Amino acid sequence: MILHILTKAPDSSASTQMQQAIGGQDAVLLIEEAVTAALDPTWEAWQQCQSRIFLLSEDLVSRGLTNIAADNELPTLEVDGFVALTEQYEKTVTWY
């Protein structure tokens, strides 16, 4: 079980590589520019990971995307949730 942390936009090569590496029990946390995935609810990873993909709330706030994420019912986590998530997974991989 791996927690994948994506820092780049959904159309980046890092995102593509991450999507190819995700296993069936892995989870994804979108931070920094990756939270722009909230703008595209049809992004392939939303379907691929369904209930195992999260957006970092603080990064949504800083980019003015909180309402869009809420309107699309996308799962979000605050920093405390981020820490708890890292404790649940054996390994963490960050995609830059």
Side-chain angles (χ1 to χ4, degrees):
M1 293 186 355
I2 299 173
L3 173 61
H4 298 269
I5 301 171
L6 181 63
T7 66
K8 299 295 181 187
D11 61 352
S12 68
S13 62
S15 173
T16 301
Q17 292 170 357
M18 179 204 69
Q19 289 177 64
Q20 293 169 349
I22 295 172
Q25 295 186 349
D26 296 350
V28 175
L29 178 62
L30 305 177
I31 65 171
E32 300 174 7
E33 281 301 307
V35 298
T36 60
L39 296 169
D40 184 7
T42 64
W43 179 45
E44 184 179 328
W46 290 122
Q47 303 306 315
Q48 183 181 4
C49 300
Q50 295 181 354
S51 64
R52 298 174 289 121
I53 188 167
F54 307 91
L55 299 125
L56 187 63
S57 296
E58 288 80 357
D59 288 332
L60 287 168
V61 170
S62 70
R63 288 163 177 79
L65 299 174
T66 304
N67 289 340
I68 292 170
D71 290 347
N72 290 313
E73 299 180 356
L74 302 175
T76 62
L77 291 176
E78 294 183 359
V79 172
D80 290 345
F82 180 178
V83 172
L85 198 59
T86 62
E87 293 172 344
Q88 293 176 23
Y89 287 86
E90 299 165 5
K91 296 181 184 178
T92 301
V93 176
T94 303
W95 299 90
Y96 296 99

